[in-house]
Amino acid sequence: MTSAAETPPSTGGRAARPEHLGHVVFITAAAAMGGFLFGYDSSVINGAVEAIRSRYGIGSAALAQVIAIALIGCAIGAATAGRIADRIGRIRCMRIAAALFTVSAVGSALPFDIYDLAVWRIIGGFAIGMASVIGPAYIAEVSPAAYRGRLGSFQQAAIVIGIAVSQLVNFGILRLADGDQRGRLLGLEAWQWMLGVMIVPALLYGLLTLAIPESPRYLISVGRTRDAKEVLAGIESKDVDLDARAAEIELAMRREHTSTFRDLKGSRFYFLPIVWVGIGLSMFQQLVGINVAFYYSATLWQSVGIDPSGSFFYSFTTSIVNIIGTAIAMVLVDRVGRKPLALVGSTGMALALACEAWAFSAPLVNGRLPATQGTVALIAAHVFVLFFALSWGVVVWVFLGEMFPNRIRAAALGVAAAAQWIANWTITASFPSLADWNLSGTYLIYTFFAVLSIPFVLLFVKETKGRTLEEMG
């Protein structure tokens, strides 16, 4: 996908004036609806895990593959989204994702068997992968530099809101089913309704794409300069020379070339160093085990003696903490900077994960953790999510949208996003088996990666706050 080009101060394109900022925020929020579906789909399975295990009589290893198989689709969708968007446009790409989300929701709610369910989850995963790349890239292309960090964080905000809404919907459906994930509601089991309700936000996403403009950069790339100027008129200051602004974008694009994976190759270790930094950021974001909190939290709390309704409630409160942390990050990301937030987050996550590892090391008493360890586990789980949300949850997406030079940004972002999904799959697929082996040991592994991320950020990650996209490289 071609990168967003910032303009020199001469045209006034660096910041939107208040009269247009509201419109830019609406466009950004609509595009970030893909992030909402990303979060909703990623987390909604949390409420169905134990019901799927019971319905199809499968063990932990097979269950993990059904849960994690969507991430294979995510990796493919992320790796191919840029090329698709460059060929048919960002908006059409979003509409394809919305259609796939809708189809996946219906199929997942009405599977014939476990293999059928896996296929629908792969389709939904492909849509998530597309949304994970298209959303941030589109937002970067319509955002003024002065607001880019905050507007870019809309993607993560939408993700965490999607997670929270899915947990709330799951909790509501469970209550209607008298606390039974396999309880019948209008002819379907509760877990089927949990997966099927996603059709509502999927259709809303598709409708919102009818209300937002195509990216000016894409329009210029296909010769629709007049249309591009109309879009620019709605997001730039009234005193900006639209002809000059469009000419600047066109000139910047002529100086660029469509990035390919070949452009990412370096003289050592296959990729360029900056690409490895992006891959590292993506992988550390997942290797700390954050998605265990969203895919398996209900199962995790039930495994240490909390009843299903209580486990769903704690999953929801964790999601609320996730939103609070993300709001903090949105306020601080352009003030404090990306790198300091990442370091604070890594430190907080490491301490919280270590506390969880200690708490889960206690033997169960009558199927429950002792009172002290149970309290520590619940508090530490929420603290872990808070520190992740106010740091790595947001800054990694902002870093990936900013850190790569223009000539490789599209291809590098695709590789980094694909690496993130592979790491996500690794954690998601391995957790049930690791938890059966040693739950405390599993959390020590996540603690190790949180600690390791500190020297990684200190040594290899450069601050991008306040720098234009042209200065990256």
Side-chain angles (χ1 to χ4, degrees), residues 176-260:
L176 291 174
D178 297 323
D180 183 359
Q181 295 177 38
R182 296 197 60 189
R184 307 289 294 188
L185 292 171
L186 300 177
L188 298 177
E189 295 184 2
W191 68 273
Q192 294 176 275
W193 283 106
M194 293 176 186
L195 300 182
V197 166
M198 194 178 71
I199 191 174
V200 176
L203 291 174
L204 178 60
Y205 181 39
L207 290 174
L208 284 173
T209 63
L210 301 175
I212 60 177
E214 181 56 85
S215 160
R217 283 183 59 81
Y218 171 75
L219 292 172
I220 290 174
S221 74
V222 295
R224 296 169 57 187
T225 304
R226 179 178 297 180
D227 293 335
K229 291 178 184 177
E230 291 180 2
V231 176
L232 290 170
I235 61 178
E236 298 285 3
S237 171
K238 291 181 178 179
D239 58 0
V240 167
D241 185 334
L242 298 180
D243 290 331
R245 180 74 176 97
E248 281 182 335
I249 294 176
E250 186 172 7
L251 178 61
M253 293 175 65
R254 286 178 180 176
R255 291 173 177 172
E256 301 168 6
H257 70 285
T258 302
S259 57
T260 66

Coordinates of all heavy atoms in Angstrom, one line a residue, residues 176-260:
L176 N -29.1 -14.7 30.1 CA -30.4 -15.1 29.5 C -30.5 -16.6 29.4 O -31.6 -17.2 29.4 CB -30.6 -14.5 28.1 CG -30.8 -13.0 28.0 CD1 -30.8 -12.5 26.5 CD2 -32.1 -12.6 28.6
A177 N -29.3 -17.3 29.3 CA -29.3 -18.7 29.2 C -29.1 -19.4 30.6 O -28.7 -20.5 30.7 CB -28.2 -19.2 28.3
D178 N -29.4 -18.6 31.6 CA -29.3 -19.1 33.0 C -27.9 -19.6 33.4 O -27.7 -20.6 34.1 CB -30.3 -20.2 33.3 CG -31.8 -19.7 33.1 OD1 -32.0 -18.6 33.5 OD2 -32.6 -20.5 32.6
G179 N -26.9 -18.9 32.8 CA -25.5 -19.2 33.2 C -24.9 -20.4 32.5 O -23.8 -20.8 32.8
D180 N -25.6 -21.0 31.5 CA -25.2 -22.2 30.8 C -24.8 -21.8 29.4 O -25.6 -21.3 28.6 CB -26.3 -23.2 30.7 CG -25.9 -24.5 30.1 OD1 -24.7 -24.6 29.6 OD2 -26.7 -25.4 30.0
Q181 N -23.5 -22.0 29.0 CA -23.0 -21.6 27.7 C -23.7 -22.4 26.6 O -23.7 -22.0 25.5 CB -21.5 -21.8 27.6 CG -20.7 -20.8 28.5 CD -19.2 -21.1 28.5 OE1 -18.7 -21.4 27.4 NE2 -18.5 -21.0 29.6
R182 N -24.2 -23.6 27.0 CA -24.9 -24.4 26.0 C -26.4 -24.3 26.2 O -27.2 -25.2 25.6 CB -24.4 -25.9 26.1 CG -23.0 -26.0 25.7 CD -22.6 -27.5 25.4 NE -23.4 -28.0 24.3 CZ -23.5 -29.3 24.0 NH1 -22.8 -30.2 24.7 NH2 -24.3 -29.7 23.0
G183 N -26.9 -23.4 27.0 CA -28.3 -23.2 27.2 C -29.0 -22.8 25.9 O -28.4 -22.1 25.1
R184 N -30.2 -23.2 25.7 CA -31.0 -23.0 24.5 C -31.7 -21.6 24.5 O -32.3 -21.3 25.5 CB -32.0 -24.1 24.2 CG -31.5 -25.5 24.3 CD -30.6 -25.8 23.1 NE -31.4 -25.8 21.8 CZ -30.9 -26.2 20.7 NH1 -29.6 -26.7 20.6 NH2 -31.6 -26.2 19.5
L185 N -31.5 -20.9 23.4 CA -32.2 -19.6 23.3 C -32.7 -19.5 21.8 O -31.9 -19.5 20.9 CB -31.2 -18.4 23.5 CG -30.7 -18.2 24.9 CD1 -29.6 -17.1 24.9 CD2 -31.9 -17.8 25.8
L186 N -34.0 -19.5 21.7 CA -34.7 -19.5 20.4 C -34.1 -20.5 19.4 O -33.8 -20.2 18.2 CB -34.5 -18.1 19.8 CG -35.1 -16.9 20.6 CD1 -34.8 -15.6 19.9 CD2 -36.6 -17.1 20.7
G187 N -33.9 -21.7 19.9 CA -33.5 -22.8 19.1 C -32.0 -23.0 18.9 O -31.5 -24.0 18.3
L188 N -31.2 -22.0 19.4 CA -29.7 -22.2 19.3 C -29.1 -22.2 20.7 O -29.7 -21.7 21.6 CB -29.1 -21.0 18.5 CG -29.6 -20.9 17.0 CD1 -28.9 -19.6 16.4 CD2 -29.2 -22.1 16.2
E189 N -27.9 -22.7 20.8 CA -27.2 -22.7 22.1 C -26.6 -21.3 22.3 O -26.4 -20.5 21.3 CB -26.1 -23.7 22.1 CG -26.7 -25.2 22.1 CD -25.6 -26.2 22.2 OE1 -24.4 -25.9 22.3 OE2 -26.0 -27.4 22.1
A190 N -26.4 -20.9 23.5 CA -26.0 -19.6 23.9 C -24.7 -19.2 23.2 O -24.5 -18.1 22.6 CB -25.8 -19.5 25.4
W191 N -23.7 -20.1 23.1 CA -22.4 -19.8 22.4 C -22.6 -19.5 20.9 O -21.9 -18.7 20.4 CB -21.4 -20.9 22.6 CG -21.8 -22.2 21.9 CD1 -22.5 -23.2 22.3 CD2 -21.3 -22.6 20.5 NE1 -22.6 -24.2 21.3 CE2 -21.9 -23.8 20.2 CE3 -20.5 -21.9 19.6 CZ2 -21.7 -24.5 19.0 CZ3 -20.3 -22.6 18.4 CH2 -20.9 -23.8 18.1
Q192 N -23.6 -20.1 20.3 CA -23.9 -19.8 18.9 C -24.4 -18.3 18.7 O -24.0 -17.7 17.8 CB -24.9 -20.8 18.3 CG -24.4 -22.2 18.2 CD -25.5 -23.2 17.8 OE1 -26.3 -23.6 18.5 NE2 -25.5 -23.4 16.5
W193 N -25.2 -17.9 19.6 CA -25.6 -16.5 19.6 C -24.5 -15.6 19.8 O -24.4 -14.5 19.2 CB -26.7 -16.2 20.7 CG -28.1 -16.8 20.3 CD1 -28.7 -17.9 20.8 CD2 -28.9 -16.2 19.3 NE1 -29.9 -18.0 20.2 CE2 -30.1 -17.0 19.2 CE3 -28.9 -15.1 18.5 CZ2 -31.2 -16.7 18.4 CZ3 -29.9 -14.8 17.6 CH2 -31.1 -15.6 17.6
M194 N -23.6 -15.9 20.7 CA -22.4 -15.1 21.0 C -21.6 -14.9 19.7 O -21.2 -13.7 19.4 CB -21.5 -15.8 22.0 CG -22.1 -15.8 23.4 SD -21.0 -16.8 24.6 CE -22.1 -16.8 26.0
L195 N -21.4 -15.9 18.9 CA -20.6 -15.8 17.7 C -21.4 -15.1 16.6 O -20.9 -14.4 15.7 CB -20.2 -17.2 17.2 CG -19.2 -18.0 18.2 CD1 -18.8 -19.3 17.5 CD2 -18.0 -17.1 18.5
G196 N -22.7 -15.3 16.6 CA -23.6 -14.8 15.5 C -23.9 -13.3 15.6 O -24.1 -12.7 14.6
V197 N -23.9 -12.8 16.8 CA -24.3 -11.4 17.0 C -23.3 -10.4 16.3 O -23.7 -9.3 16.0 CB -24.3 -11.1 18.5 CG1 -24.3 -9.6 18.8 CG2 -25.5 -11.7 19.2
M198 N -22.1 -10.9 15.9 CA -21.1 -10.1 15.2 C -21.7 -9.6 13.9 O -21.1 -8.6 13.3 CB -19.8 -10.8 15.0 CG -18.7 -9.9 14.6 SD -17.1 -10.7 14.5 CE -17.4 -11.6 13.0
I199 N -22.7 -10.2 13.4 CA -23.3 -9.7 12.1 C -23.7 -8.2 12.2 O -23.7 -7.5 11.2 CB -24.4 -10.6 11.7 CG1 -24.8 -10.3 10.2 CG2 -25.6 -10.5 12.6 CD1 -25.9 -11.2 9.7
V200 N -24.1 -7.8 13.4 CA -24.6 -6.4 13.6 C -23.5 -5.4 13.3 O -23.6 -4.5 12.5 CB -25.3 -6.2 14.9 CG1 -25.7 -4.8 15.2 CG2 -26.5 -7.1 15.1
P201 N -22.3 -5.5 14.1 CA -21.3 -4.5 13.8 C -20.7 -4.7 12.4 O -20.2 -3.7 11.8 CB -20.3 -4.8 14.9 CG -20.5 -6.1 15.4 CD -22.0 -6.3 15.2
A202 N -20.7 -5.9 11.9 CA -20.1 -6.1 10.5 C -20.9 -5.4 9.5 O -20.4 -4.7 8.6 CB -20.1 -7.6 10.2
L203 N -22.3 -5.4 9.6 CA -23.1 -4.6 8.7 C -22.9 -3.1 8.9 O -22.9 -2.4 7.9 CB -24.6 -5.1 8.9 CG -24.9 -6.5 8.4 CD1 -26.4 -6.8 8.8 CD2 -24.8 -6.6 6.9
L204 N -22.8 -2.7 10.1 CA -22.6 -1.3 10.4 C -21.3 -0.8 9.8 O -21.2 0.3 9.2 CB -22.6 -1.1 11.9 CG -22.3 0.4 12.4 CD1 -23.4 1.3 11.8 CD2 -22.2 0.5 13.9
Y205 N -20.2 -1.6 9.8 CA -19.0 -1.3 9.2 C -19.1 -1.1 7.7 O -18.6 -0.1 7.1 CB -18.0 -2.4 9.5 CG -16.6 -2.2 9.0 CD1 -15.9 -1.0 9.0 CD2 -15.8 -3.3 8.5 CE1 -14.6 -0.8 8.5 CE2 -14.6 -3.2 8.0 CZ -14.0 -1.9 8.0 OH -12.7 -1.8 7.5
G206 N -19.8 -2.0 7.1 CA -20.1 -1.9 5.7 C -20.8 -0.6 5.3 O -20.5 0.1 4.3
L207 N -21.8 -0.2 6.1 CA -22.6 1.0 5.9 C -21.8 2.2 6.1 O -21.9 3.2 5.3 CB -23.8 1.0 6.8 CG -24.9 0.0 6.5 CD1 -26.0 0.1 7.6 CD2 -25.6 0.3 5.2
L208 N -20.9 2.2 7.1 CA -20.0 3.4 7.3 C -19.0 3.6 6.2 O -18.7 4.8 5.9 CB -19.3 3.2 8.6 CG -20.1 3.4 9.9 CD1 -19.2 3.1 11.1 CD2 -20.5 4.9 10.0
T209 N -18.6 2.6 5.5 CA -17.7 2.8 4.4 C -18.4 3.6 3.2 O -17.7 4.1 2.3 CB -17.2 1.4 3.8 OG1 -18.3 0.7 3.3 CG2 -16.5 0.7 4.9
L210 N -19.7 3.6 3.2 CA -20.5 4.4 2.2 C -20.5 5.9 2.5 O -20.8 6.7 1.7 CB -21.9 3.9 2.2 CG -22.1 2.4 1.8 CD1 -23.6 2.1 1.9 CD2 -21.6 2.1 0.4
A211 N -20.0 6.2 3.8 CA -20.1 7.6 4.2 C -18.8 8.3 4.3 O -18.7 9.5 4.7 CB -20.8 7.7 5.6
I212 N -17.7 7.6 4.0 CA -16.3 8.2 4.1 C -15.7 8.2 2.7 O -16.0 7.3 1.9 CB -15.5 7.4 5.1 CG1 -15.3 6.0 4.7 CG2 -16.0 7.6 6.5 CD1 -14.3 5.2 5.7
P213 N -14.8 9.1 2.5 CA -14.2 9.3 1.2 C -13.0 8.3 1.0 O -12.4 7.8 1.9 CB -13.7 10.7 1.2 CG -13.3 11.0 2.6 CD -14.4 10.2 3.4
E214 N -12.7 8.1 -0.3 CA -11.5 7.3 -0.6 C -10.3 8.2 -0.3 O -10.3 9.4 -0.2 CB -11.5 7.0 -2.1 CG -10.3 6.2 -2.6 CD -10.1 4.9 -1.9 OE1 -10.8 3.9 -2.2 OE2 -9.4 4.9 -0.9
S215 N -9.2 7.5 0.0 CA -7.9 8.2 0.3 C -7.5 9.1 -0.8 O -7.5 8.6 -2.0 CB -6.8 7.1 0.6 OG -5.5 7.7 0.5
P216 N -7.1 10.3 -0.5 CA -6.6 11.2 -1.6 C -5.4 10.6 -2.4 O -5.3 10.8 -3.6 CB -6.2 12.5 -0.9 CG -7.0 12.5 0.4 CD -7.1 11.0 0.8
R217 N -4.6 10.0 -1.6 CA -3.4 9.4 -2.3 C -3.8 8.3 -3.3 O -3.2 8.2 -4.4 CB -2.4 8.8 -1.2 CG -1.6 9.9 -0.5 CD -0.6 9.3 0.5 NE 0.3 8.4 -0.2 CZ 1.4 8.8 -0.8 NH1 1.7 10.1 -0.9 NH2 2.2 8.0 -1.3
Y218 N -4.7 7.5 -2.9 CA -5.1 6.5 -3.9 C -5.8 7.1 -5.1 O -5.5 6.7 -6.3 CB -6.1 5.5 -3.3 CG -6.7 4.5 -4.3 CD1 -6.0 3.5 -4.8 CD2 -8.0 4.7 -4.7 CE1 -6.6 2.7 -5.8 CE2 -8.6 3.9 -5.7 CZ -7.9 2.9 -6.2 OH -8.4 2.1 -7.2
L219 N -6.6 8.1 -4.9 CA -7.3 8.8 -6.0 C -6.3 9.4 -7.0 O -6.5 9.3 -8.2 CB -8.3 9.8 -5.4 CG -9.5 9.3 -4.7 CD1 -10.3 10.4 -4.0 CD2 -10.4 8.5 -5.6
I220 N -5.3 10.0 -6.4 CA -4.3 10.6 -7.3 C -3.5 9.5 -8.0 O -3.2 9.7 -9.2 CB -3.4 11.5 -6.5 CG1 -4.1 12.8 -6.0 CG2 -2.1 11.9 -7.3 CD1 -3.4 13.7 -5.1
S221 N -3.3 8.4 -7.4 CA -2.5 7.3 -8.0 C -3.2 6.7 -9.2 O -2.6 6.2 -10.1 CB -2.2 6.2 -7.0 OG -3.4 5.5 -6.7
V222 N -4.6 6.8 -9.3 CA -5.3 6.3 -10.4 C -5.8 7.4 -11.3 O -6.7 7.2 -12.1 CB -6.5 5.4 -9.9 CG1 -5.9 4.2 -9.2 CG2 -7.5 6.2 -9.0
G223 N -5.3 8.6 -11.2 CA -5.6 9.7 -12.1 C -6.9 10.5 -11.7 O -7.3 11.3 -12.5
R224 N -7.5 10.3 -10.6 CA -8.7 11.0 -10.2 C -8.4 12.2 -9.3 O -8.8 12.3 -8.2 CB -9.7 10.0 -9.5 CG -10.1 8.9 -10.4 CD -10.9 7.8 -9.5 NE -12.0 8.3 -8.8 CZ -12.7 7.6 -7.9 NH1 -12.4 6.3 -7.7 NH2 -13.7 8.2 -7.3
T225 N -7.6 13.1 -9.9 CA -7.1 14.2 -9.2 C -8.2 15.1 -8.7 O -8.2 15.7 -7.6 CB -6.1 15.0 -10.0 OG1 -5.1 14.1 -10.5 CG2 -5.5 16.2 -9.2
R226 N -9.3 15.3 -9.6 CA -10.4 16.2 -9.2 C -11.1 15.6 -7.9 O -11.4 16.4 -7.0 CB -11.4 16.3 -10.3 CG -12.6 17.2 -10.0 CD -13.5 17.3 -11.1 NE -12.9 18.0 -12.3 CZ -13.5 18.3 -13.4 NH1 -14.8 17.9 -13.6 NH2 -12.9 18.9 -14.4
D227 N -11.3 14.3 -7.9 CA -11.9 13.7 -6.7 C -11.1 13.9 -5.5 O -11.5 14.1 -4.4 CB -12.2 12.2 -7.0 CG -13.3 12.0 -8.1 OD1 -14.1 12.9 -8.2 OD2 -13.3 11.0 -8.7
A228 N -9.7 13.7 -5.7 CA -8.8 13.9 -4.6 C -8.9 15.3 -4.0 O -8.8 15.5 -2.8 CB -7.4 13.6 -5.1
K229 N -9.0 16.3 -4.9 CA -9.1 17.7 -4.4 C -10.4 17.9 -3.5 O -10.4 18.6 -2.6 CB -9.1 18.6 -5.5 CG -7.7 18.7 -6.2 CD -7.8 19.7 -7.4 CE -6.5 19.7 -8.2 NZ -6.5 20.6 -9.4
E230 N -11.5 17.2 -4.0 CA -12.7 17.3 -3.2 C -12.6 16.7 -1.8 O -13.1 17.3 -0.8 CB -13.8 16.6 -4.0 CG -14.3 17.3 -5.2 CD -15.4 16.6 -6.0 OE1 -15.9 15.6 -5.4 OE2 -15.8 17.0 -7.0
V231 N -11.8 15.6 -1.7 CA -11.6 15.0 -0.4 C -10.7 15.9 0.4 O -11.0 16.2 1.6 CB -10.9 13.6 -0.6 CG1 -10.6 13.1 0.8 CG2 -11.9 12.7 -1.3
L232 N -9.6 16.5 -0.2 CA -8.7 17.3 0.5 C -9.4 18.6 1.0 O -9.1 19.1 2.1 CB -7.6 17.7 -0.4 CG -6.6 16.6 -0.7 CD1 -5.6 17.1 -1.9 CD2 -5.8 16.2 0.5
A233 N -10.4 19.1 0.3 CA -11.2 20.3 0.7 C -11.9 20.0 2.0 O -12.2 21.0 2.7 CB -12.1 20.7 -0.4
G234 N -12.2 18.8 2.3 CA -13.0 18.4 3.5 C -12.1 18.1 4.7 O -12.6 18.0 5.8
I235 N -10.8 18.0 4.4 CA -9.9 17.7 5.6 C -8.8 18.7 5.8 O -8.1 18.7 6.8 CB -9.3 16.3 5.4 CG1 -8.4 16.2 4.1 CG2 -10.4 15.2 5.4 CD1 -7.8 14.9 3.9
E236 N -8.6 19.6 4.8 CA -7.5 20.6 5.0 C -8.1 21.9 5.4 O -9.4 22.1 5.3 CB -6.8 20.8 3.6 CG -6.1 19.5 3.2 CD -4.8 19.2 4.0 OE1 -4.5 20.0 4.9 OE2 -4.1 18.3 3.7
S237 N -7.3 22.9 5.7 CA -7.7 24.2 6.1 C -8.3 24.9 4.8 O -7.9 24.6 3.7 CB -6.5 25.0 6.6 OG -6.9 26.4 6.7
K238 N -9.2 25.8 5.0 CA -9.9 26.5 3.9 C -8.9 27.3 3.1 O -9.1 27.6 1.9 CB -11.0 27.4 4.5 CG -12.2 26.6 5.0 CD -13.3 27.5 5.5 CE -14.5 26.8 6.0 NZ -15.6 27.6 6.6
D239 N -7.8 27.8 3.7 CA -6.9 28.6 3.0 C -5.8 27.8 2.3 O -4.8 28.4 1.7 CB -6.2 29.7 3.9 CG -5.5 29.0 5.1 OD1 -5.5 27.8 5.2 OD2 -4.9 29.8 5.9
V240 N -5.9 26.5 2.3 CA -4.9 25.7 1.6 C -5.1 25.7 0.1 O -6.3 25.6 -0.4 CB -4.9 24.2 2.1 CG1 -4.1 23.3 1.2 CG2 -4.3 24.2 3.5
D241 N -4.1 25.9 -0.7 CA -4.2 25.8 -2.1 C -4.3 24.3 -2.5 O -3.3 23.6 -2.5 CB -2.9 26.4 -2.8 CG -3.0 26.5 -4.3 OD1 -3.7 25.6 -4.9 OD2 -2.3 27.3 -4.9
L242 N -5.5 23.9 -2.9 CA -5.7 22.5 -3.2 C -5.0 22.0 -4.4 O -4.5 20.8 -4.4 CB -7.2 22.2 -3.4 CG -8.1 22.5 -2.2 CD1 -9.6 22.3 -2.5 CD2 -7.7 21.7 -1.0
D243 N -4.8 22.9 -5.4 CA -4.0 22.4 -6.6 C -2.5 22.1 -6.1 O -1.9 21.1 -6.6 CB -4.0 23.6 -7.6 CG -5.4 23.7 -8.3 OD1 -6.1 22.7 -8.3 OD2 -5.7 24.8 -8.7
A244 N -2.0 23.0 -5.3 CA -0.6 22.8 -4.8 C -0.5 21.6 -3.9 O 0.5 20.8 -4.0 CB -0.1 24.1 -4.1
R245 N -1.5 21.4 -3.1 CA -1.5 20.3 -2.2 C -1.5 18.9 -3.0 O -0.8 18.0 -2.7 CB -2.7 20.3 -1.3 CG -2.8 19.2 -0.3 CD -1.8 19.3 0.8 NE -2.0 18.3 1.8 CZ -1.3 17.1 1.9 NH1 -0.4 16.9 0.9 NH2 -1.6 16.3 2.8
A246 N -2.4 18.9 -4.0 CA -2.5 17.7 -4.8 C -1.2 17.5 -5.6 O -0.8 16.3 -5.8 CB -3.7 17.8 -5.8
A247 N -0.6 18.6 -6.1 CA 0.6 18.4 -6.8 C 1.7 17.9 -6.0 O 2.6 17.1 -6.4 CB 1.0 19.8 -7.4
E248 N 1.7 18.4 -4.7 CA 2.8 17.9 -3.8 C 2.6 16.4 -3.5 O 3.6 15.6 -3.5 CB 2.7 18.6 -2.4 CG 3.3 20.0 -2.5 CD 3.2 20.7 -1.1 OE1 2.3 20.3 -0.3 OE2 4.1 21.5 -0.8
I249 N 1.4 15.9 -3.3 CA 1.2 14.5 -3.1 C 1.6 13.7 -4.3 O 2.3 12.7 -4.2 CB -0.3 14.2 -2.8 CG1 -0.7 14.8 -1.4 CG2 -0.6 12.7 -2.8 CD1 -2.2 14.7 -1.1
E250 N 1.2 14.2 -5.5 CA 1.6 13.5 -6.8 C 3.1 13.5 -6.9 O 3.7 12.4 -7.3 CB 1.0 14.2 -8.0 CG 1.2 13.5 -9.3 CD 0.3 14.0 -10.4 OE1 -0.3 15.1 -10.2 OE2 0.3 13.4 -11.5
L251 N 3.8 14.6 -6.6 CA 5.3 14.6 -6.7 C 5.9 13.6 -5.8 O 6.8 12.9 -6.1 CB 5.8 16.0 -6.5 CG 7.3 16.2 -6.5 CD1 7.8 15.9 -7.9 CD2 7.7 17.6 -6.1
A252 N 5.4 13.6 -4.5 CA 5.9 12.7 -3.6 C 5.7 11.2 -4.0 O 6.6 10.4 -3.8 CB 5.3 12.9 -2.2
M253 N 4.6 10.9 -4.6 CA 4.3 9.6 -5.1 C 5.2 9.2 -6.3 O 5.6 8.0 -6.4 CB 2.8 9.4 -5.5 CG 1.9 9.5 -4.3 SD 0.2 9.5 -4.8 CE 0.0 7.8 -5.4
R254 N 5.5 10.2 -7.1 CA 6.4 9.9 -8.3 C 7.8 9.5 -7.8 O 8.5 8.7 -8.4 CB 6.5 11.1 -9.2 CG 5.2 11.3 -10.0 CD 5.3 12.5 -10.9 NE 4.1 12.7 -11.7 CZ 3.9 13.7 -12.5 NH1 4.9 14.7 -12.6 NH2 2.8 13.8 -13.2
R255 N 8.2 10.1 -6.7 CA 9.5 9.9 -6.1 C 9.6 8.5 -5.4 O 10.7 8.0 -5.2 CB 9.9 11.0 -5.1 CG 10.2 12.3 -5.7 CD 10.4 13.4 -4.7 NE 10.7 14.7 -5.3 CZ 10.7 15.8 -4.6 NH1 10.5 15.8 -3.3 NH2 11.0 16.9 -5.2
E256 N 8.4 8.0 -5.1 CA 8.4 6.7 -4.5 C 8.2 5.6 -5.5 O 8.0 5.9 -6.7 CB 7.2 6.6 -3.5 CG 7.2 7.7 -2.4 CD 5.9 7.7 -1.6 OE1 5.0 6.9 -1.9 OE2 5.7 8.6 -0.8
H257 N 8.3 4.4 -5.1 CA 7.9 3.3 -5.9 C 7.2 2.3 -5.1 O 7.3 2.3 -3.9 CB 9.2 2.6 -6.6 CG 10.0 1.8 -5.6 ND1 10.9 2.5 -4.7 CD2 10.1 0.5 -5.4 CE1 11.5 1.5 -4.0 NE2 11.1 0.4 -4.4
T258 N 6.4 1.5 -5.7 CA 5.6 0.5 -5.0 C 6.5 -0.5 -4.3 O 7.3 -1.2 -4.9 CB 4.6 -0.3 -5.9 OG1 3.8 0.7 -6.6 CG2 3.8 -1.3 -5.1
S259 N 6.4 -0.5 -3.0 CA 7.4 -1.4 -2.2 C 7.0 -2.8 -2.4 O 5.8 -3.2 -2.4 CB 7.4 -1.0 -0.8 OG 6.1 -1.0 -0.2
T260 N 8.0 -3.7 -2.4 CA 7.9 -5.1 -2.5 C 8.7 -5.7 -1.4 O 9.6 -5.1 -0.8 CB 8.3 -5.7 -3.9 OG1 9.7 -5.5 -4.0 CG2 7.5 -4.9 -5.0

